[in-house]
Amino acid sequence: MRSSITFKLFLAILASCIVVALAMGTAVRFSFDSGFDDYVQEREQQRLDTLAQLLAADYLEAQGWQFLSDRRDRWWRSLRLSRRDLPDGREHDEPPLRVMLADAQGDWLAGPKLPPSPSLRRMPVRADGQVVGWLYTLPPMAHVINDEIDRQFQARQLRATWVIVSLSVLLAALVSLLLARVLLVPVRRMAQATHRLAEGHYRTRVRVGAPDELGRLARDFNRLAHSLERHEQWRRELMADVSHELRTPLAVLRGEIEALQDGLRPLDGNALGSLAHEVSQLSQLIDDLYDLSLADAGALNYHMQPVDLGVLVAQAVDAVQDRFQRRGIAIDLQAEERLVMQGDQRRLLQLVSNLLENSLRYTDSPGRVRVRAHRTRQAIELDVADTAPGVAPEQLPRLFDRLYRAEASRSRQHGGAGLGLAICRSIVQAHGGQITAAASDLGGLAIRIRWPTDAASTL
């Protein structure tokens, strides 16, 4: 529990709340003490003012301070009247003696004889504008200490302050625990989902909550899980398709060899040609897989140099012209001159050959293939379009996936293993271009390759 993030977050929030509560309690206590001292000083000042006025009135009435010696109760009466907070029933109870009266020369007249001290407060008693006496009182802190009522009030306020602080800390602990649990619910779900994802459950998803950092993290997690699920599906399909593609020529080779060994088929030129054809198909498949693996690892070598794309396309068309004629498929070549770009001549020739081979395999006879290489204002483009049959719109995005055939019914009699277009995409991307598939205006499939002018010239 102590190592959990919930406990750590709980401690962090609780510690912050405790520090704030203690700081507030200390600040309130300091403010109260300061305000209480001011209150005591103001109260004592008012009492001294009242006492000075009473004594001045008695002094004028008696024409001197003789009344203090004749009637001692006059002094206590003046003190009692200045301290109106005392109960009325305590006329003869002696209040706390904290004030001393002296005459104009500073000689003691009444009250406690306070020793001379710089901390004593002094207030004049004026009669008819003349100073006829002085009132001396203790410093304010001594007032607080000596006044029992003030001391009790101060103690009650102190207890109330720390009770409030204690209750605030308990409330902070409760709130911190609730916040720690609530805030970490999405994190806990994310941790559990990550654990399941690490175990190979790629269908795991998490609920996206508020559009905050945790919400964005949840969306990124779902995209990651979807990507892993898709790649895992592709891996399984790739393994199944590769094993199937390898098994078929090997099974044919084994059948042919067993037939020759059993004498069921004579060892003549036809038998050797059939064996050579299957070996060639198998070799081509292995070469294509090897090229794709090198492309994925970034180890496929490209020797970039200026290449005239129009001349290169014409060479690729000329190489397959006879095969197209035998299939009854016409080739319409439209290539501009001086389509110079930076590229690997051998790989670009492989690219065009693969596109032409794809059209040759899957275009019905009689048919037509149109090859266009031209320059636009911003790019060099290569288009290969053919006649029927076409490809369903939902299958177009997957044409460049490995070992994918647009129609599951197409067998190996058409040749190839569904790797040609995948290799084409790798070559185009290595040259900084983009390759897309769309429905052709001729009724079949159109492959468009676009190399931006800046990318084609700087590669």
Side-chain angles (χ1 to χ4, degrees), residues 328-383:
I329 301 175
I331 297 182
D332 181 10
L333 175 60
Q334 303 174 17
E336 295 182 4
E337 298 181 354
R338 301 292 300 170
L339 291 178
V340 180
M341 59 177 290
Q342 289 291 112
D344 186 306
Q345 182 173 352
R346 184 170 65 90
R347 295 299 179 187
L348 290 176
L349 185 60
Q350 181 183 7
L351 166 66
V352 180
S353 299
N354 284 352
L355 295 178
L356 294 175
E357 191 71 26
N358 186 75
S359 295
L360 178 63
R361 289 172 185 154
Y362 299 114
T363 302
D364 294 340
S365 178
R368 177 188 169 198
V369 175
R370 183 183 63 207
V371 181
R372 295 183 57 197
H374 60 99
R375 183 189 301 272
T376 64
R377 179 175 300 179
Q378 298 178 347
I380 294 177
E381 296 184 358
L382 173 63
D383 300 331

Side-chain angles (χ1 to χ4, degrees), residues 24-34 154-155 157-158 161-162:
M24 291 182 60
T26 304
V28 169
R29 179 61 186 170
F30 175 79
S31 176
F32 171 77
D33 290 341
S34 177
Q154 190 178 34
Q157 292 300 316
L158 178 61
T161 299
W162 293 118

Side-chain angles (χ1 to χ4, degrees), residues 70-85:
D70 296 340
R71 296 184 61 184
R72 298 293 299 176
D73 61 329
R74 299 287 294 273
W75 168 249
W76 303 116
R77 183 182 65 84
S78 298
L79 286 177
R80 186 171 62 252
L81 291 176
S82 67
R83 296 177 57 86
R84 297 175 181 177
D85 55 341

Side-chain angles (χ1 to χ4, degrees), residues 244-246 248-249 252 277-278 281-282 285 405 409-417:
H244 172 72
E245 294 296 336
L246 290 175
T248 302
V252 173
H277 175 74
E278 295 299 330
Q281 292 285 85
L282 183 61
L285 174 61
R405 293 192 179 95
S409 60
R410 285 177 171 173
S411 66
R412 296 188 70 259
Q413 294 178 358
H414 291 88

Side-chain angles (χ1 to χ4, degrees), residues 43 85 88 107 131 160 172 183 241 244-245 279 284 323 337 342:
R43 186 188 61 181
D85 55 341
D88 296 336
D107 297 331
V131 177
L183 292 177
D241 292 339
H244 172 72
E245 294 296 336
V279 171
Q284 183 63 42
R323 295 175 57 196
E337 298 181 354
Q342 289 291 112

